Amino acid sequence: MRFIHISDTHLGYHQYGLKERSEDFFDVFNEAVDFAIEKKVDFVIHTGDFFHSSRPSNHVILQGMEILERLRDANIPIFVISGNHDRGSQVRDISPLKILQPLGLNLVDSGVLEYEGLFIGGLKYISKAGLRQIEGIKKILEKYLEEMGNGFRILLLHQEFQPYFPDSSLNMTVELIEGFDYIGIGHYHIAQTPAVINKATVVYPGSTEFTAYNEKEEERGKGFYYVQVDGKTIKPEFIHLKRRRPFLYYTLSEEEIDQTVKQIKQDLERFEEGKKPVIILKGTLKKLAPSDVIGYFKNEGISSEESNLLHINFNLTREFVDTDGVIIETTEENIKEELKKLIGDEQIFSSVVETLTFLKSFDSIDEVKKYLKENPDFIDF
Ligand SMILES: [Mn+2]
């Protein structure tokens, strides 16, 4: 038996408001589908955040349909769960993935299904507040195991787990009880080396593209898993996606700005063919204002109009100085400490941090506004 495990495809994400970035997410998904068709795999599993939004546009729904049609034509079934991005709201609406069911998408959000002697259990994303109410997911998984017969047992999850999310209430070794063969998990965007936990092969493929640039993600690469199963031997192999957008990351210091510019110009020469890179420029400014830096780059001809690049993301912060000229460190931990004191309640504090961390993954306030409008039940504490 052979299958591919893909996750967090975030179809419909319009990063930086660019059409090209929206197409990128579709491109890499199609690259994985190409692989699945070429290898004639038995099926595909997807562990959530198929769409970036619970209200994908008509255009994005159509793109999702195209992908499913390709798999259907090749007789390859796909099993999917809803992630936090595409689960829909419990109260007002259903998961947008239900729209794709008539095209062959098997949604496994809450239960077990049997497919040719194999058992697939799936659980859509449950928020922190939801997890507190049900006290973890262990009981649900016990029920799933009771429903599963003898055969290969797959579990699909989209959840935060310790140790990847240190604040999480879910601990892998505690929650992922023995009895499953393969546990595929989505949500964490950095791919992980497969591990064996309670006798199950646990796999995190990460996202297929960058939703927010992260150096660790770059190190690990973007891709999906190709899984070969022979009896009880499970061999997951990470497949790198070639059509992903290249990202170049630089740390900027005011003193060496000309050197960074020189380096960028040199690095851009490597990308004459293929997709144009996105540049992430991170730095703390003491003397210059962010607009000075932006102006400097424009003058040097480093812009999407004049250079071989798609977009520059200026991620610049200013270091604050108090009235005596003393630098006040504005680290995130400091802010968190103050916030904790202000809120008082530990659980509300952790929900606020969770919410803010999630919102930080957006690139502009307009995207945040759009997301909140589309997901009115997002803040549930
Ligand atoms: Mn995701």
Side-chain angles (χ1 to χ4, degrees):
M1 179 173 75
R2 292 167 307 126
F3 62 93
I4 70 162
H5 174 194
I6 189 168
S7 196
D8 295 80
T9 44
H10 287 262
L11 215 56
Y13 186 34
H14 235 85
Q15 197 175 34
Y16 315 122
L18 295 171
K19 192 176 135 277
E20 290 91 339
R21 278 304 283 151
S22 181
E23 285 302 317
D24 286 343
F25 286 80
F26 186 55
D27 279 355
V28 285
F29 202 154
N30 264 318
E31 186 181 341
V33 169
D34 287 347
F35 181 94
I37 293 171
E38 203 185 295
K39 290 277 182 191
K40 295 195 173 81
V41 297
D42 298 298
F43 56 93
V44 174
I45 55 173
H46 189 303
T47 43
D49 288 355
F50 184 102
F51 288 126
H52 185 65
S53 159
S54 68
R55 293 199 182 277
S57 68
N58 296 339
H59 182 80
V60 173
I61 293 171
L62 205 62
Q63 284 186 321
M65 286 166 76
E66 275 174 50
I67 284 171
L68 293 171
E69 271 164 359
R70 294 189 61 213
L71 286 170
R72 196 180 55 178
D73 290 348
N75 277 318
I76 300 172
I78 177 167
F79 302 94
V80 188
I81 57 168
S82 303
N84 51 315
H85 277 264
D86 53 15
R87 74 187 150 141
S89 108
Q90 308 273 9
V91 189
R92 295 185 184 90
D93 213 347
I94 52 167
S95 164
L97 294 172
K98 290 206 173 182
I99 300 168
L100 300 181
Q101 280 179 309
L103 278 140
L105 182 143
N106 298 285
L107 194 59
V108 209
D109 269 349
S110 59
V112 174
L113 61 83
E114 189 184 347
Y115 172 75
E116 294 188 347
L118 97 110
F119 298 90
I120 303 174
L123 185 62
K124 70 174 171 184
Y125 173 80
I126 303 174
S127 69
K128 274 194 181 173
L131 284 174
R132 273 199 296 277
Q133 276 170 21
I134 59 167
E135 292 169 18
I137 57 170
K138 203 171 149 187
K139 282 207 182 80
I140 299 172
L141 303 189
E142 279 167 3
K143 205 172 142 267
Y144 282 9
L145 281 175
E146 274 170 33
E147 288 170 31
M148 288 180 175
N150 271 330
F152 196 78
R153 295 162 162 191
I154 295 177
L155 176 66
L156 311 178
L157 298 171
H158 187 96
Q159 221 58 63
E160 292 184 356
F161 278 98
Q162 287 186 44
Y164 306 112
F165 294 83
D167 295 337
S168 172
S169 61
L170 297 178
N171 189 308
M172 291 188 130
T173 43
V174 177
E175 302 284 334
L176 304 181
I177 49 168
E178 202 179 310
F180 299 101
D181 295 296
Y182 184 95
I183 301 177
I185 314 179
H187 196 42
Y188 194 45
H189 282 194
I190 306 173
Q192 296 298 316
T193 306
V196 175
I197 295 170
N198 294 330
K199 293 184 183 164
T201 301
V202 177
V203 179
Y204 264 103
S207 65
T208 48
E209 259 284 353
F210 291 110
T211 52
Y213 184 80
N214 180 312
E215 277 176 294
K216 278 197 201 117
E217 252 177 279
E218 179 77 70
E219 245 169 66
R220 192 62 185 83
K222 294 274 113 208
F224 59 92
Y225 273 94
Y226 172 48
V227 187
Q228 288 167 278
V229 182
D230 186 6
K232 288 272 170 181
T233 310
I234 303 165
K235 216 181 82 192
E237 182 190 345
F238 190 70
I239 307 294
H240 288 266
L241 288 158
K242 295 181 190 78
R243 291 182 219 161
R244 55 151 281 216
R245 175 76 52 183
F247 273 65
L248 299 172
Y249 178 85
Y250 302 91
T251 316
L252 185 84
S253 83
E254 285 163 314
E255 291 78 28
E256 288 160 13
I257 189 163
D258 49 339
Q259 241 150 309
T260 307
V261 164
K262 213 173 129 195
Q263 186 66 48
I264 290 174
K265 282 181 180 170
Q266 197 183 320
D267 291 346
L268 283 176
E269 285 172 22
R270 284 192 284 131
F271 297 94
E272 308 237 293
E273 277 166 52
K275 285 185 174 176
K276 293 176 180 176
V278 166
I279 290 178
I280 307 280
L281 204 65
K282 202 175 173 165
T284 307
L285 305 176
K286 290 171 194 146
K287 297 177 218 126
L288 300 174
S291 58
D292 297 333
V293 177
I294 294 166
Y296 188 90
F297 273 74
K298 239 194 162 77
N299 277 339
E300 286 289 328
I302 301 179
S303 66
S304 52
E305 293 84 31
E306 289 182 75
S307 312
N308 180 32
L309 61 93
L310 180 73
H311 177 76
I312 310 185
N313 182 256
F314 290 97
N315 189 350
L316 305 169
T317 46
R318 293 197 82 179
E319 206 164 55
F320 292 101
V321 175
D322 74 6
T323 46
D324 300 323
V326 179
I327 293 164
I328 309 161
E329 289 290 328
T330 50
T331 61
E332 208 170 304
E333 283 316 306
N334 242 316
I335 297 169
K336 274 190 191 170
E337 276 311 307
E338 287 302 315
L339 198 62
K340 205 173 194 169
K341 276 187 237 158
L342 215 65
I343 293 173
D345 183 280
E346 185 76 30
Q347 285 190 346
I348 296 176
F349 166 73
S350 93
S351 296
V352 169
V353 170
E354 180 191 20
T355 306
L356 291 176
T357 309
F358 177 68
L359 293 179
K360 255 172 60 185
S361 71
F362 291 87
D363 286 307
S364 72
I365 190 69
D366 289 337
E367 280 183 18
V368 172
K369 280 185 195 162
K370 189 166 165 262
Y371 182 84
L372 292 176
K373 212 170 174 182
E374 288 166 355
N375 298 275
D377 294 340
F378 169 66
I379 299 166
D380 57 3
F381 49 87

